[in-house]
Amino acid sequence: MSLDPELAGVMEHVAGAKSFADLLSDPSGLLRLEAFGSGRLAYSPPNVPVHNVKAPGPNGPVGVRVYGGGAKAGSVYSGPGVPGLVWLHGGGFAGGSLDMREADQLARELVHRTGGMVFSVDYRLARKGVHFPVPHHDVLAAWLWATDNAGHYGVDPAMLCLGGASAGANLAVGAAMYLNDIGEPLPARMLLAYPFLHSGLPALNFSDAALHALPRLLRFTADDCRAMVENYIGGPVGTASSYAVPGDADPRGMPPTSVLAAEYDDLRASAERYVLCLREAGVPVNFHIEAGATHGYLNHSAGMAVVQRGLSFLAEELESAKRFQ
């Protein structure tokens, strides 16, 4: 395979970053990453109802942006309901926002395609002294708020899913592991896009020749991964809780999981190792590798065919929550 020709042009928009890890942690870098295609690809995100709420949490209120039909005064789920997704953007734990395409564009597209609801979480970033478990607690707070309020949005609580992209996928898996450990109801399904789940960069299970087409700044090295984890936990990797690096833990008892990986991505090794562990633990998994894609490609315009394919996979997996009821 070869790098998607539309994605190949991204390199001119991220010049100046030393590595992908630097790009993810730099707000201006994320803007450059998202800018690709916006000027030459015809695309307007679906116009869906959006409003903001605050979920109570141990570190203070957690912002949640709600996409979809919205609540009806006094209404409570009485079935049949629609699927819902609590979603966590990526950004290396230290970057990203609810406005990035990986959050806003994705949420609008999934609501438009499925008729469901998306609850996008504005978890605290690992900056200015914030470290694990603060973002982990924020995600749990948002999830518990969503489960408590799902019915008021017409979402069947049994069809509420949890997911995220890259570092957001890590936060989603860590939260689900915690819920599993304490005996709380689990998400109907996990939706993970190019996840970063391990304390170190796993050995590649595929030929690294596929990665040679990428410049250094779009690669993840072992040092990049270590730096992201150490910034997140505020200490050496060896001190990390299993909820902070959930790919290293036993996944038995986890919900059915859908994993979307990118072909040209060092972190594809993290996705592949996790998928293997899930299957060995008897957890149902649907795994898709997007040919020609690079890490973070859902941050590009959905006017691109490769982005549309990724969004279609996630929408189909969200809808699959209906079929398991």
Side-chain angles (χ1 to χ4, degrees):
M1 301 299 295
S2 60
L3 188 64
D4 183 275
E6 291 182 311
L7 285 174
V10 73
M11 298 162 193
E12 66 188 74
H13 295 273
V14 294
K18 295 178 181 178
S19 70
F20 210 127
D22 289 340
L23 191 72
L24 291 174
S25 64
D26 179 359
S28 67
L30 282 168
L31 289 173
R32 295 201 303 278
L33 181 64
E34 292 182 351
F36 178 65
S38 61
R40 65 186 182 87
L41 295 170
Y43 169 77
S44 296
N47 184 15
V48 303
V50 180
H51 70 278
N52 297 298
V53 300
K54 295 288 186 181
N59 306 298
V62 181
V64 179
R65 186 174 292 176
V66 181
Y67 293 80
K72 297 179 180 179
S75 69
V76 178
Y77 166 75
S78 58
V82 299
L85 173 64
V86 176
W87 182 255
L88 312 167
H89 65 77
F93 304 106
S97 74
L98 299 188
D99 295 323
M100 64 196 294
R101 284 200 183 103
E102 193 177 75
D104 183 73
Q105 173 181 266
L106 180 145
R108 292 174 182 274
E109 284 280 350
L110 294 192
V111 167
H112 177 69
R113 292 164 186 248
T114 68
M117 303 285 298
V118 174
F119 306 95
S120 191
V121 183
D122 193 19
Y123 60 87
R124 289 166 177 81
L125 302 176
R127 291 171 174 245
K128 299 180 180 179
V130 173
H131 302 291
F132 178 88
V134 172
H136 172 70
H137 287 163
D138 284 352
V139 171
L140 286 168
W143 169 260
L144 293 173
W145 174 87
T147 59
D148 287 344
N149 290 275
H152 293 281
Y153 289 96
V155 173
D156 181 345
M159 292 193 291
L160 186 62
C161 302
L162 175 61
S166 194
N170 176 303
L171 290 164
V173 175
M177 276 182 50
Y178 178 81
L179 294 169
N180 187 41
D181 287 348
I182 65 173
E184 285 289 318
L186 295 176
R189 175 169 286 271
M190 304 296 293
L191 272 62
L192 311 177
Y194 35 81
F196 173 43
L197 300 169
H198 296 85
S199 56
L201 183 63
L204 300 180
N205 297 320
F206 51 94
S207 171
D208 62 359
L211 299 170
H212 290 332
L214 300 182
R216 167 65 183 90
L217 67 90
L218 292 182
R219 299 289 303 275
F220 284 96
T221 67
D223 287 342
D224 294 334
C225 294
R226 184 182 307 107
M228 284 192 290
V229 173
E230 289 182 344
N231 176 68
Y232 174 41
I233 66 174
V237 170
T239 65
S241 161
S242 60
Y243 301 128
V245 286
D248 294 337
D250 184 346
R252 282 179 292 183
M254 291 291 281
T257 300
S258 305
V259 181
L260 176 64
E263 180 186 13
Y264 290 88
D265 181 6
D266 293 276
L267 296 185
R268 173 180 153 193
S270 184
E272 291 188 340
R273 176 176 288 186
Y274 187 59
V275 166
L276 178 61
C277 290
L278 287 171
R279 286 174 174 163
E280 290 177 344
V283 178
V285 182
N286 192 2
F287 181 42
H288 175 69
I289 300 174
E290 189 60 59
T294 58
H295 188 86
Y297 74 97
L298 295 178
N299 275 309
H300 303 311
S301 169
M304 299 169 66
V306 67
V307 178
Q308 283 289 325
R309 291 195 298 270
L311 293 170
S312 293
F313 173 82
L314 293 173
E316 290 166 4
E317 295 305 294
L318 178 58
E319 285 201 307
S320 75
K322 298 177 183 177
R323 299 195 293 270
F324 286 96
Q325 302 313 307

